[in-house]
Structure formats: C-alpha cells, structure tokens
Amino acid sequence: MQRQDMLSLLERIKNGELSAEEATQLVERETYQDLGFAKLDHQRMRRLGFPEVVFAEGKAPGHLLDICRAHRQAQPKLLVTRLAADAQEIIAGELPGGHYNATARTLSYGLEQARAQGQVLVLCAGTSDLPVAEEALETARLMDCQVELIADLGVAGMHRLLDHQERIAAARVIVVVAGMEGALPSVVGGLSPVPLIAVPTSVGYGASFGGVAALLAMLNSCAPGVSVVNIDNGFGAGYCAALINNAPAGE
Amino acid sequence: MQRQDMLSLLERIKNGELSAEEATQLVERETYQDLGFAKLDHQRMRRLGFPEVVFAEGKAPGHLLDICRAHRQAQPKLLVTRLAADAQEIIAGELPGGHYNATARTLSYGLEQARAQGQVLVLCAGTSDLPVAEEALETARLMDCQVELIADLGVAGMHRLLDHQERIAAARVIVVVAGMEGALPSVVGGLSPVPLIAVPTSVGYGASFGGVAALLAMLNSCAPGVSVVNIDNGFGAGYCAALINNAPAGE
Amino acid sequence: MQRQDMLSLLERIKNGELSAEEATQLVERETYQDLGFAKLDHQRMRRLGFPEVVFAEGKAPGHLLDICRAHRQAQPKLLVTRLAADAQEIIAGELPGGHYNATARTLSYGLEQARAQGQVLVLCAGTSDLPVAEEALETARLMDCQVELIADLGVAGMHRLLDHQERIAAARVIVVVAGMEGALPSVVGGLSPVPLIAVPTSVGYGASFGGVAALLAMLNSCAPGVSVVNIDNGFGAGYCAALINNAPAGE
Amino acid sequence: MQRQDMLSLLERIKNGELSAEEATQLVERETYQDLGFAKLDHQRMRRLGFPEVVFAEGKAPGHLLDICRAHRQAQPKLLVTRLAADAQEIIAGELPGGHYNATARTLSYGLEQARAQGQVLVLCAGTSDLPVAEEALETARLMDCQVELIADLGVAGMHRLLDHQERIAAARVIVVVAGMEGALPSVVGGLSPVPLIAVPTSVGYGASFGGVAALLAMLNSCAPGVSVVNIDNGFGAGYCAALINNAPAGE
Amino acid sequence: MQRQDMLSLLERIKNGELSAEEATQLVERETYQDLGFAKLDHQRMRRLGFPEVVFAEGKAPGHLLDICRAHRQAQPKLLVTRLAADAQEIIAGELPGGHYNATARTLSYGLEQARAQGQVLVLCAGTSDLPVAEEALETARLMDCQVELIADLGVAGMHRLLDHQERIAAARVIVVVAGMEGALPSVVGGLSPVPLIAVPTSVGYGASFGGVAALLAMLNSCAPGVSVVNIDNGFGAGYCAALINNAPAGE
Amino acid sequence: MQRQDMLSLLERIKNGELSAEEATQLVERETYQDLGFAKLDHQRMRRLGFPEVVFAEGKAPGHLLDICRAHRQAQPKLLVTRLAADAQEIIAGELPGGHYNATARTLSYGLEQARAQGQVLVLCAGTSDLPVAEEALETARLMDCQVELIADLGVAGMHRLLDHQERIAAARVIVVVAGMEGALPSVVGGLSPVPLIAVPTSVGYGASFGGVAALLAMLNSCAPGVSVVNIDNGFGAGYCAALINNAPAGE
Amino acid sequence: MQRQDMLSLLERIKNGELSAEEATQLVERETYQDLGFAKLDHQRMRRLGFPEVVFAEGKAPGHLLDICRAHRQAQPKLLVTRLAADAQEIIAGELPGGHYNATARTLSYGLEQARAQGQVLVLCAGTSDLPVAEEALETARLMDCQVELIADLGVAGMHRLLDHQERIAAARVIVVVAGMEGALPSVVGGLSPVPLIAVPTSVGYGASFGGVAALLAMLNSCAPGVSVVNIDNGFGAGYCAALINNAPAGE
Amino acid sequence: MQRQDMLSLLERIKNGELSAEEATQLVERETYQDLGFAKLDHQRMRRLGFPEVVFAEGKAPGHLLDICRAHRQAQPKLLVTRLAADAQEIIAGELPGGHYNATARTLSYGLEQARAQGQVLVLCAGTSDLPVAEEALETARLMDCQVELIADLGVAGMHRLLDHQERIAAARVIVVVAGMEGALPSVVGGLSPVPLIAVPTSVGYGASFGGVAALLAMLNSCAPGVSVVNIDNGFGAGYCAALINNAPAGE
C-alpha cells in the first residue's frame, strides 16, 4: 500500500465511508505468507497479474513441496521451473493435476483454454536449444496465450526459416532462442514488425563461453525491436512475450 | 520476396491473372536504393512498419547528408540518432522541418500527433542518464506513441518513485534507464504488470566498467517481465516500447 | 511513509488524537524538491543522517549550480565530490563559505569542529593514491569525525608502516587506500582490531586493469574485518568510516 | 613485537625495571604454535580481539582435527567455517561442546550470552541465499552480538521489506545478502542510517557469472554507507558487522 | 530458391519452356526433411558441396540415431563429430559401414580414395592436442583430401619441427593445432607460403583459461596468412582446409 | 637454412659438386637487412611468396621512411598499412609511384594487372566497416587477385544480400567484414561453398566491447567453412584470401 | 643444429678435419625419439641442462608408462608432475627407484646429494598452498639445489614471517606461493635482496576466480625483483629458481 | 629492525657491550625521510641492494623534483622511469649529471663501469617493443650489469633469431620483450639454458587487449625457465635480470 492508496484511504475515513478499524484491517490484509524460510508474495497476482513463479533448482524437496502446496492453496495457477524429473514425482504425488513438460522441466497447474487472441511464436535455432524454447512456450501457455514452436531454424540454412514466413507473419510477439553465434534474432527481426524477445542459450563450446557469445550478439543486434533476457532464461522470455501479447489494444 | 509470395505469384500466372512480364516487374520493384557507399532499405517501412533509422556517429557529414536526403525523399518520417550539434546544423540547413533534441542528440522528421492510445513511460535513475532516456522518448514519440519521462528516481530514495505510482499505473509499457548498479528495473518491475524494457547506461565509474555492472544486474533481474537492450541504447528501448504499445489488442 | 507509520497514524485517528485533515498534511510534507532535471532528496538528512551528496563529474555547470544552491538553502551541510577546479570557481563565486580541497576535488560547506570522539584514520599506499585518500578524509571530516591521514606506506617498505603503530592503535576505524597489488589492507588488517574499509585505486598500469587487480586483492583479503568499496571511491569509504565511528557504543 | 613496544622495553631495561633476561623471555613468548603443516596464530586473540578462524574446505580431516584441537586448548572460542556434515561428525566426536549449524556449515565453540548492546541484523534476498546469511549470523553471534535474520526479501516484492521497518530501525549494523542482480543493499541503504555490509552470493544462472553480477551491483551501489565483501563470504560480513557493533561509542 | 533463380524460372514460364504447375513443383522440391525435433538440410550438399554434419554432443541417443538414419538415406556421405564411444556402438549397430576414430570421436560414412590432388597437413603442438588434430584430419579425409598428421611439435624443441620441412613444403594447406601459449602457428606461418588454419585447444591450466590464451595468441599472430577457428574446433579447421585444398586452380 | 637443405648441401660437397667455400657463401647470402632499429626480412618474398608488409601505426616518420626505402630497393612490391594521410605525404614525396587508398589507409607499390584467375569478393555489413573492407581489398589486389567489394549488406535487410547471389557465386574466396553482432558470415557461409574469411570490426557501442561481440559470434558461427582473423584486421583477411585464391588447383 | 654450428662444420670439412659422411652422421645424431604419439626431446638435457619433464595430467596410463620408460633409458634423471597416486603405482611397479611426493604429486628419478652451494627457499602463505609449494621444492631438489620450505606465512599474521628472517636471509633465490589476495610476494620482496619467483595458486573462492586475483596482484607487485609464473605452476617456479641458483657467479 | 636483530641487541645489552641509550639510538637511526607527501625509503639500498626507484608518471613536476633531489643527496645512484621529455628537462636543469634515454624514458644517475661479470641480454620481437626493451636495458646497466640489446626478432622470421645464437649463448640471463602473440619467449626458452624473464608489451591491436594476449601466452609458455613481469614493465624485468646476474656463484 503506497502513498496514493493511503491518501484515498484517509479521504474515505474523513468522509465517514470507512471506520479506522476497517482501515487497519485493509492495511493488514494485503500481505504475504511467511513460511519461515520463505515469504510467499501472494499479492503478486493482484499486483503483477500472475502469481509468483517457483524456481526449483537448488531448493530442498521438502521446502519445494511446502512452497508449492501453499501457492496451490492461495491461487489456481502455479508455474514451477527448472524442476528435475525426480523432484517432480514427489510434488505430483502430493499435488496432482499438474502438467509436467520433461524437456522444459516445467510443472504447470491451472492450464486453461487460451483466452488471449494473439499468438506467441517461439523459434529456436537448433535442437539443443529446445529445453529453453519449451520453457518459454509453457510459460506463455499458462499465461493464457496461444503458442506455437518451430524448431531447428539455424541461419546457415535460411530456406528453413523463409519457409515459415506465414506463421511468422501471424504472430503478435516472437521469442527467438539461439546459442552459438546467436544470429537468428537479427535475421528474424529484419523480417517481422512485431516485438521480438531474444534468448541466448549456453549451447556451444569453446569461445561461446557458456552463452556469452550469443548474449553479446543479441545485445548488439542491428535489427530494431529486439530486446534480450538472461542466458537460458526461457521463462523470462515467455513471461515478457505473454505480457506483450495480452496487453490491451494500442491503436 | 519469399517462397510463399512466389508460390502465389506462380498461382496467379497459372490462373492467367498475371502475365509473366508483369510478374518480373513485381519482383524487381521491391528493392533498395544504392548510393554506392550505402544501400538504403526503403522496403523497411513496408516490411517492419518504420523506416530505416540513421545512426550518425562515425559517418562523414557529406555521406550523412546524402543518406538523410534520400530517406527524406522516400518517406515522410526519418529518425537520426547520435547526431552531434554541429553535424545537425549542416543537415538542418539543407533539410528543414526536423526537430532536434540536443540532450538526446536525435533529429526527427514527420512528427505528428500521437495516434496510439496507450502510453510509453520512460523512467530514469539519475540526471546523468537523461540523454539515453530522451533518446528512447524521441524514438517512441516519432512512432506515434504518447510518451512521458520522469527523471531522477534512484532506488536509494524510493519515496520519489512511490510518489509516481499513478503515472506508472497508467503506462502500457515502461522503459527504465539506469547506470551504476542498475537496480531500478527490478524495483519497478515488482510494482507494475506491464512489459518493461531496461536500458543500462555507461554512467558510473570504477567497477561499473562502462555499463557492464548495470547490464548484468538487469539481465539477472528477479522481477518478471523485464527484457534488456544494449548499453546506452535508448533508441532500441524506445523502438521496442513503441512496437509493444502500438500492437493490436491481445484480449 | 511506510506501513508501520501508517498504522500508528490510523491508530491516532481512531483514538481521536488526529483529524483526517491533519493526517493528510503529515503525509504530504515529507517529500523532495523537483528541479525538473533532478529531484533533490531533502528527506535524506532525516532518513540517513547526512544530506544528499553531489557528484559533480559529468554535470553541466548551470545544473550543478542550481543543485548546489537548492541544497544550500535546505540544510547547513553540503558535500560536492569530483569537482574540477574551474567548476569550483563558478560555484564558489555564487555560494561562498565552502572549503575546496584541490587534491581531493571536494567542496565542503558547514564544516564544524569534530564532535565524534573516535578517530578515522586514512592510510594510503603511494603518493599517487592521495586524491582518493583525501576524498575519504574530507567526507569523514564533514561528518563530524576527527580524521588523520598517513601517506606512502607501501608494503615493500613495511618499516614505514610499523613506525605508525601508535596512531593505528588509536583509530576507531581505518580506511586503507591502495592501487597496484592492493596488499596494504591485508597487512593493516592483521595488525589492528578495528573495522577496516579498503579502497582500491586505479593507480597502476598493464595488468592492473584500471584498479581491478587491487579490487580483487582486497575482496580476497585473508585478514578478517576488511570490507571494500568501488575503485577510486574515496567518498564511499569516508562515508562508511564516519557511520561506523559515529555509532553509539556497542558494549 | 614492533618498534614502539621495543622502545618501551628498552626504556624499562634502562630504568632497571626489567633485566635483559626477562626481556628476552617476553620477546619469545608472543608467538605461534607450529604444527609443521600449519602455524597457529594464537597471538591473534590479543592482537585482533578474536581467535583465528578455521576455513575447513579443502583441509584433510586429520589436519582439521589437529588444528581444531590445538585451538581449543589455547582459547575458549573457536569458529570453523565451510565444514561439511561428515567432517563435522569427526570433530564433534573428539571435541564435544560445539554448536553446528547445518545450513551455515559452521561449528562454534564457546558461545555465550550476547554481551554487546547493539544488534546485527542480517537480511537476505532469497531462500537460496540462506547458507551465506546464516554463516554471517553465526559469526556475529560467536563474537558476542545480538543477532537477527530476516529471509526472502527480494526487491520485486518490496512490501515484504517495508513490513520490517521496525526491526531495520533497531539494528546498529546491517548485513545484506543477495545474489542475482544484487539490488537489495541499495534499497536498504536508502532506508537506514547505519553501516551496511553487502554480501554478493553465487545464486543465479547465466549472466550472473557465479555472483559477479551481484558483486558489481553492490560495488556500484548508489546508496551511501555500503561496503562489500567477497562473493559468498558470509563469515567476512559477520566479522565486519560484529567489529562495528562492538566498537565503543563514537559520540 | 533466390531472386535470380526465380527470375529465370519466370523467364522459362514466359517462354513456354515450363508450365506453372511444373514451376510450383520445382519450388517445393528443394527443401528439407522435418523430423519434428530437427529439420535436416538435405539441400546443403548441393548448396555447399558437403552434407550437413551431425554434432553428437548433447543429443539423446534416439534422436541421434533418427538423424543419422535419415541422413544416410539421403546421401552417401555422413560425418558425425563429438561422438562418445558408447553412443557410437548404438549407431554402428543400426547403421553399419562407418569408420570410427576413437581419438577424434568421429564417425565417417562414405570414405573414398582421396580425389583431390593437394594435401592437407595437420600439425599439433603436443600429444594432448591429438583429439582435436584427428578430428580435423578425419573431416578433411571425408572431403576427399589427401591428409597427413605430424604430432608433438612444441616450439620449445624446434628441431622437431625443422626436421619436417619437406612434408611442410609439400602441403597445399596446413592446419596447426596448439594449446597453452598457442605459438606454433606463428612459427609455421613464417616458414610456409600456403594458407594456414590455426586451432586453439583447451589444453593447459591456470591462466590458459580453457584455451583463451591460445586463441588470443593465434588471433594476434605476427605471421601473415593465418586464420583461426573456435577453441577445440578440429572439424571447422578440417572443413576450411578441405575447401581450400579442393578449390580449382587460381593461377 | 634448415636440416634438409643442409643435408643436400653436404651431399653436394661430398659429391664434389660444391666446394666448402661455395657452401659457406650460400649459407651467408640468405639473410636480412639490419637497420639497427629493425631487421628487414627480405628473404620473406622467397620464403612466403610476398614481401614483408609495413605496419605504419606507431612508427616514427623517419623510421618509416627508412624502412620503406629499403624495401623499395629490395623488391618491386610494397604494402604499407595503417598509414595516416600526413605520414603518407612524407613517404609519397620521397618514394613516388605508390597508390594510396585513403579509406583503407594503405599505400601500395608495384600494383599490376591481376594475374590470378579466381576472384576475391569482399562483403561488408555496414558503411562504417568500409575502412577494414578496403584494407582487405587492397591487400588482395597487390597480391595479383581480381577483387570486388559490395558494401552495406546488414542481415536485418537480407534482400540486399540475396540480390547479389550471382556475384557471390562467382567468387573463389569470400571475405566478410562485420561489426556489431557479426552475423553476416554465418548467413553468407550458409549460401556459398567457397572458403570464407570473417573479419570482426570494432564498429558498435556498449556491449560490443570494441569488436569482441562480433569476434565471438564469428568464432561460434554455425556455418561451416568460416575462419576468423583479428578485430579490424582487413590486411590479414585479404592476405589469407589471396593465398587461397592463388593456390594451384586442388582437383 | 643452427647456422653457427653448421659454419664450423663446413669449416672442418673444408679443412679436411671431417669427411662429408661424418658430417652427415653428426647432423642426424642430435635428434629426438619418435614414439608415434609423442616425440621425446632427448637433446634437451644437452641444450637446456635438464631433461624433458613429463606432465602426467590427461595422459593415458599406457602412454605415460611408455614415455617414462623411454626417458629412463635415455638419461639418469626424470621428473613426472601432476601424477595421481593410482597412476604412480603403475609406473613405480614397472620403473622402480623413484621418489613419489604425494602432496606435490611428483615422481623423481635420479635424486642425488645437492651439488649447488646456494639455497632455494620456498615460502607459502597457507596450508592449502602446500601442493604447489612442494612441487616447486621437488623440482629444485632434482635440479641439485639445496631446498627448504616454510609453510603458513599469511600476511595477516606477519610475525610468523618476521620470525624466519634468518632463513630468508640465507636463501639465494626465493619462491613465494600464495592464493587469495597474493600479497606475500610483495612483503617478502621488500625484505630480501635476492630474486623472487611468485606463484599464484587457485586457492580461494568467489572473486578469486581460480587464482586470477593472486596472479594480478603478483604481476602488479610494488616490490622490485618479483617475476611470476602461471597459476598453480609450482614446477615452473622451482625450475626458474634452480636455474638462478645454479648459475655461475656474477660478481 | 626485526626479532632477530632485537634479540642480539638485547644480548649485547645483557653482556654490557651496549648501553640502553645507545640501543635506542640504533633503533631510531634506520628509518626513512618524510617529505609529507612521500616517505623516502633510504633503508632500501642496504636492505635490497639498490635504492628506491622513482616512477615519474602521474607525479607533479614539483613533487618529482623534491623526491629526486632528496634521493640524490642520500645515495649516489638514482633511477627515474616513465619520465617524459619535458619533465626530464626540469629535473636535469636542477640535478645535472644524469643520463636520459629518450626511447626508454629513463633518467639514470651514478652509472659506472659494469662490475658484474655476466651479461644481461635483452631481445625484442618488434621495433615497437623498443621502449620497453630499452627500459630493461637501462635498469640492468645502472645495476652494474654488462648489457646488450638485439631488436626485431619476430618469430615469423626465425632466421634472424637463429643468426644470434652466439650472443644468446653468451648471456647469463635473458630478457625477452614481445607484444602481439608473445611467442618469442617460448622459442628462446627452448634454445637457451639460462633464466629468462618475459615482458609482454601493449603493442598490438584488436584482440591483443592492450597486452593481455601476450601476457597470457607468456604465462602459459611450454618452455621451462620462463617467468613473467607486468605488461610493459621493462624496469621490473631489468631489475630481476640484474639480481640474477649479480648473484654469487651457485656451483
């Protein structure tokens, strides 16, 4: 609760619309759930439009389960990312009804029919980039987007890309996933007038330096309309894409 | 002209709707203007929705003038970025009617009343980040967006930020410009549900390494919905923001 | 104004100690001064115990003067850092009464007799580190500390350091400024039981990489009780040291 | 024994207060214990106020045990850091009476009731930062400080931070632990007037580069009063914090 | 199919040499094989003169087998690189007739008598560089080159190199493989007038940084005629060398 | 003179074909010219096929003139690179007959009609890459190659590239010059079966890090047949290309 | 065999002291042993004064054994470094008589009574640096030096160092081994007038970056007379030290 | 004065050889000269065998003159490095009798006939490396060494190096100065059995990164007996070489 909210709260007290007791309750309600080792930001759904996402990597199975259970009780949707297959089995046993994508390593609860009209298109340069691309896909899907994925479109065989011009033209926002030299976003960005989120991956060897080569290439893209997320951050790209796709009309 | 276009072209020839001579002309028309030292991509307006932008830094004044003149003749809008004051005078003398923003070092031709309904909000962390923020602003403005800029919102005095919650809530897309530790996008990203484009600037000293500290911070932002452009790339951020703002409704 | 303050404000309204109108005024008072290009955080004196410091580098003289004048009107103390001699003359002409340290490139207003009992001792490894050391000194001095500086104590001639054991023993907090291999903090940290702030400087050449060698050395110091600030950040070190020195007794 | 001590020693010989034989003994007494593979600096307690700390990582169990036993015999307090659970069992079997914190991986001997009046507050940004935060906590605790830890205060959900203003206001020194973009110290530093030690952690992925992103952000913090220790160095932060907290009054 | 091809296609339709139906078929034929998770670029043989190469590292055995089988059906030659021994057994069981080089970790199908007249000579600096050197060798061999390898020619014992002057003089193109300081290409480049491809390897320790030292050395070679490929990229070097060796005469 | 030459020399002495005196003269003749501050390697023409090239940057005008004069006397051809316009005037005044390319900053003596049959094609991504591209061009030209340059072929407007398919198909070797994200070599490498030398340029800003982004992208190119030279090293690329182009036929 | 040797050889042929046949044999004799996968440089003993050293890491046990056996047959001394305990057992079983140092992971054959008069002193900063220090020690010992090692002399407890002044004064050359901030060489270099070889180790964590912090510190040492070898390169330091120690008198 | 000295001092007091008053004087005498801004370490001549060297870069002319004058009064020899020509004139005007080397930018006082018997040989790879090589030369010369310099010995024309085998064989210690790929030390180190100090220079462009490429190459040299100093640190190399050359006989 910030200054503006508070001023209107005070105004309502002044006008007799609200008692001070009621005001105190209002202030205390909008809060978070404290598990001791974690503070679950349930307000996030209302504040940001999507509930807090659980990054599973490095969390103990017990903690992970407690966090997921608390989130499941608080809201219908939940996305867990970087979830290894064995940890997934523990959670699925306790919290049934989720959809696990083994390539993306994501677990989604509350998937519904896409409500948004536009489409998020995910392109990836090589088959090794698929886990990151699928993570972007699952994220946007849980955020109510229509999604589509086209794999293996490396720039050294551009006819494969050009063959999908129709589907590229139909997207409202495009996520491009690539490792190695990370050139695909520049080429796609020069073909399409929609916003493009580029995701560098750690695919490569030697002087790719775990994705740094692709990251730098994407940050320096000569195509306009390209913005970039962290290396291997499929979730972040899918989230950005969904926000863009779901936004109300600009013109 | 790509495979899909060609197939339909061939279909029309097959159906007798088009003679082969007419088809040949169609192919040759969609092209670029060759100045010898440069190939102007006039097709870009039709392909990407906005004409090619001229990056002035490092171009000889004569070349710059030739390029600007050719673009002016081909389309009503033109954006020149990184244009020093003295070079601007040469161009303005030959090509009147532009709007020069001395802080942003941008020259804009064809500015009209904003047609897009949403608003692009540009926030910057310190006064030294203003040139980059203004470049983003001018770019989005020439792309028909309503724009607004709020300066000097460093995270060490957060009440300044919280005081602008209303204007933040009104934006359809937010550009956040920051140097030094680049923390502002994470804080803003936690307060607003709209897409956020983060721009690291080279403002700082010592271990800021010319903007690397801010760039890394933004790529690692714990707030969802944040994507990043190159260091000091106000143009890129403004372009991305305008694409997002001007997109048709998603829901 | 945060949640806790608001709750007590609401409590006072509930108890009839405060009218809603009075409450609204209280909320609006704590604010900042908006110069358009900058938002001066006058609340900082009350919030952090020292007014906002002006970093002069890269600011236009006119802006700099406006900012300094506004700060001078709001509070008795002002510190301007990284202030070149020519810019200093402009400001001094308009705002007399300041103390300019040409080595440190600092301008201080409101210097008083040191009130704090302890002493901030600044040590520097070489004569080229003096500007950074003096900046630390001037900062702590304006923050009411007793200060002392001992220069040219490089570790290759340690008898110079050992000769000042008495003064080292008398300090409540020590700032150690060093470039090149940045070894001095480790040696001093092994001799003294008080908190030590290490400042790497960009003094050096070749593989010092503008202070990176010293920075890394200090971060990896084997002596306990050493913390580090940014390269050449004398101000930051002096500020930290003054906070520590001025703190109320711990035992 | 340094020049100053020697001069007074000589003075006492000159005055007949001390025989040369007694002086020789004095010189030889202040020394270290040589285990062959290690030289234990028992003088450190007297010189720096706290005994030498044992960094367990990479030490053979036998060596580790010998070192711990020798320290235990020389002084009542002992801190062992980076101690894996299995190595802990070996030591605890031989040297009972210690307190092992499995999250922090610290083993403490000689814990007493906190004697210092102030409080060291440790804040951490995410649950994955807990091991580093707990290490800071245990270090300060063994150094006689009152300590408190608040976890999971990421800047993307700032209401969680603002909700703890009271406890922040009560601290004499604050340790802030964060990975990823490392923004939390800047925000906390803008809210509190006490010294702040920032600890970057290696939590993150991709362009976090094992904590480099957080480290650079913290070194470039726009908040005053922030100093930084090495990546994942919870011990160092806790030690600095305790030194600051335990210092005699400055004003 | 690009603009030029299309224009001639249209010309042939115009001239009645081709029906529109036939033209459509022509367009659709030149395409790729879509396995869902991968798009095999069979056009590459015709476009680039050598079929697509399969990089085995990180591919699931099932996918790898599907890809290899599809390539085997489409063309007589196939090169698989970075193929571990166990994965090789699976493929060899299903697709007999290949040649596996366990040092190079390459699997080659369709090896024939060398048809090219010149010779590709591969030199390597140390025995640890052999896997990369052998990968280069196998690649050039499958591309019809006569190949030869001389191992263990480190520059600290140059008489070993000078002893092979005859064979160096006989090569049409030389591949030089070296780790550590990467000096061998400069020395060989100063002795031979033929094109030289340098391959840095990750052999070394400490400040070799996984091959970066050798890579930088090779990029900065003072010998003319040296170009460089990625760290450990024996395949790339062999491919470049074969292209050069197989080119038609220049004079 | 190496082992092999020496053995045959000894053989000829043994056979009486050569007296020992004659042998001694043969050994002493093949040498270099010592100017004191430099040792001119005149043997290089015979050893490597092209005389030593003079890198002008950082050389004093007097030294530069002495070096050029000595080379001019020793052989008909001379290439001077990185030669500023003013230094060029001094040399041209003393040593007439050269060809100065002001964009490339090269001075060439001994240019003749191209004797090699194939063609070296230089492509560059942007107009700012022209100086590097022209340096490559002038180098290959002086080495008897037919050369051609096509400028401004950035991948964000690929129709410009596709429009030059014929000229690309006609080249025997291709040099691709690009800054920023350095993606052009990957795209061209996927279209052409001839050897490709990639040259990263320092064109760009922010996270291009003076050409590092383009360098890494090129080293990680997914197109086969791409090798790389140092940042801005147009000379090196032209030299490699000429060696390849001039080589005798491989098939 | 180089030019000078050849001229004298020719002179002797000319003078009839040597037949051409004898000369040919002389040339062929000085050569290396070719094992196929390796070329053993037996000439090195005569050329450099010490036989080729075998770096065991990454070599297959069979190859390693073949190499060691061949060296053992060629000369009395052999040093094998980075030799794991299990590989050592295989070699010791076949080639008895060696001395294995398990900490240093070195195997030495041909150890004799030290013949050199001076002493190589190895100092190391912490117990974790011992393996590198012992490698230096064993290397110098096999090269006939008197050697001594003093461990655990970190600069945070300098009295331990000062206590060994006598032994430091007795050394002819000093090797200083340190990780973390690498400050020990600067301190020792300021106390002793003999040549000092500094060895950075990878001991440390976080921003030590695997020894980079210590490496940079040592390269930037303010003490004169310090030169540096690669990270963890105890062998290199011991070798340099022995060369220096064994040199004939300079004055 | 350290522990050992003190014990003997006390012994002499105990034995009555020395009064306590005399002892106090002895302690106070060995000290440094305090100029306020600098502490001149006059003890260094006695402690390290050569007086403190003055690094002129970045020192104000007045300070520089004061420092030089004080050193001149204290001892006969003085070396000033990195001294620009104009600053040199000021000093030479006041303090005649020095020898200025304009290439090395060194000023030497007290040059005498070389007393050491061995020879320091300085080799450099290119003419641009001469300033660093000359600095090494002048340093060793002032330290009483016989010195010799051979310039322009790049590894791409190795016959120039091999031609100087005699002079290389005559050296007692060799300094090798090289920029770009820094390969010369490895080649020389493989030819000569004496200690070799390698100096990387910042000569180069692009991916030489100001000398980093050469530095890494030298640290990773496969030749034994090579140690390295900082980039462009000719002084350091000359100093190390002189220490080695002047050492008493080892065998």
Side-chain angles (χ1 to χ4, degrees), chain D residues 68-120:
Chain D
C68 289
R69 186 181 288 119
H71 275 302
R72 286 294 288 141
Q73 289 167 349
Q75 66 246 334
K77 286 189 176 181
L78 173 63
L79 177 63
V80 187
T81 64
R82 304 279 173 113
L83 181 65
D86 49 354
Q88 183 265 337
E89 285 177 17
I90 295 169
I91 295 175
E94 297 282 328
L95 301 170
H99 161 70
Y100 185 64
N101 179 326
T103 302
R105 294 188 296 154
T106 55
L107 178 63
S108 307
Y109 290 92
L111 266 173
E112 301 168 36
Q113 199 62 30
R115 286 185 324 214
Q117 294 181 353
Q119 189 188 53
V120 171

Side-chain angles (χ1 to χ4, degrees), chain F residues 172-200:
Chain F
R172 180 170 295 167
V173 51
I174 301 178
V175 172
V176 181
V177 181
M180 302 175 74
E181 81 269 62
L184 190 56
S186 293
V187 173
V188 175
L191 295 175
S192 161
V194 305
L196 189 160
I197 312 294
V199 195

Side-chain angles (χ1 to χ4, degrees), chain F residues 61-219:
Chain F
H63 282 191
L64 198 54
L65 185 55
D66 287 352
I67 290 173
C68 289
R69 186 182 288 118
H71 275 301
R72 287 292 291 138
Q73 289 167 351
Q75 66 245 333
K77 285 188 177 181
L78 173 62
L79 177 63
V80 187
T81 63
R82 303 280 173 110
L83 182 64
D86 50 353
Q88 181 267 337
E89 284 178 18
I90 294 170
I91 295 176
E94 296 283 328
L95 301 170
H99 161 70
Y100 185 65
N101 179 325
T103 302
R105 293 188 298 152
T106 55
L107 179 62
S108 308
Y109 289 91
L111 265 173
E112 300 169 37
Q113 200 62 32
R115 285 185 324 213
Q117 292 179 357
Q119 190 187 50
V120 172
L121 176 63
V122 180
L123 307 178
C124 81
T127 54
S128 306
D129 301 317
L130 268 173
V132 177
E134 292 266 4
E135 192 186 63
L137 197 87
E138 291 291 353
T139 302
R141 177 180 285 149
L142 189 60
M143 291 174 79
D144 293 330
C145 298
Q146 298 175 46
V147 295
E148 189 175 11
L149 169 64
I150 312 179
D152 205 13
L153 296 170
V155 296
M158 293 235 309
H159 57 302
R160 294 176 295 194
L161 173 65
L162 301 179
D163 210 27
H164 293 89
Q165 281 285 90
E166 267 175 287
R167 288 156 86 186
I168 290 173
R172 180 170 295 167
V173 51
I174 301 178
V175 172
V176 181
V177 181
M180 302 175 74
E181 81 269 62
L184 190 56
S186 293
V187 173
V188 175
L191 295 175
S192 161
V194 305
L196 189 160
I197 312 294
V199 195
T201 70
S202 53
V203 170
Y205 61 91
S208 79
F209 299 127
V212 169
L215 171 63
L216 293 185
M218 290 171 180
L219 287 168

Side-chain angles (χ1 to χ4, degrees), chain C residues 3 6 8 14 26 62 65 74 87 107 126 147 158 231 246:
Chain C
R3 185 172 173 277
M6 193 172 60
S8 82
K14 197 167 62 178
L26 272 176
L65 186 55
L107 178 62
V147 295
M158 293 236 307
I231 297 166
N246 298 352

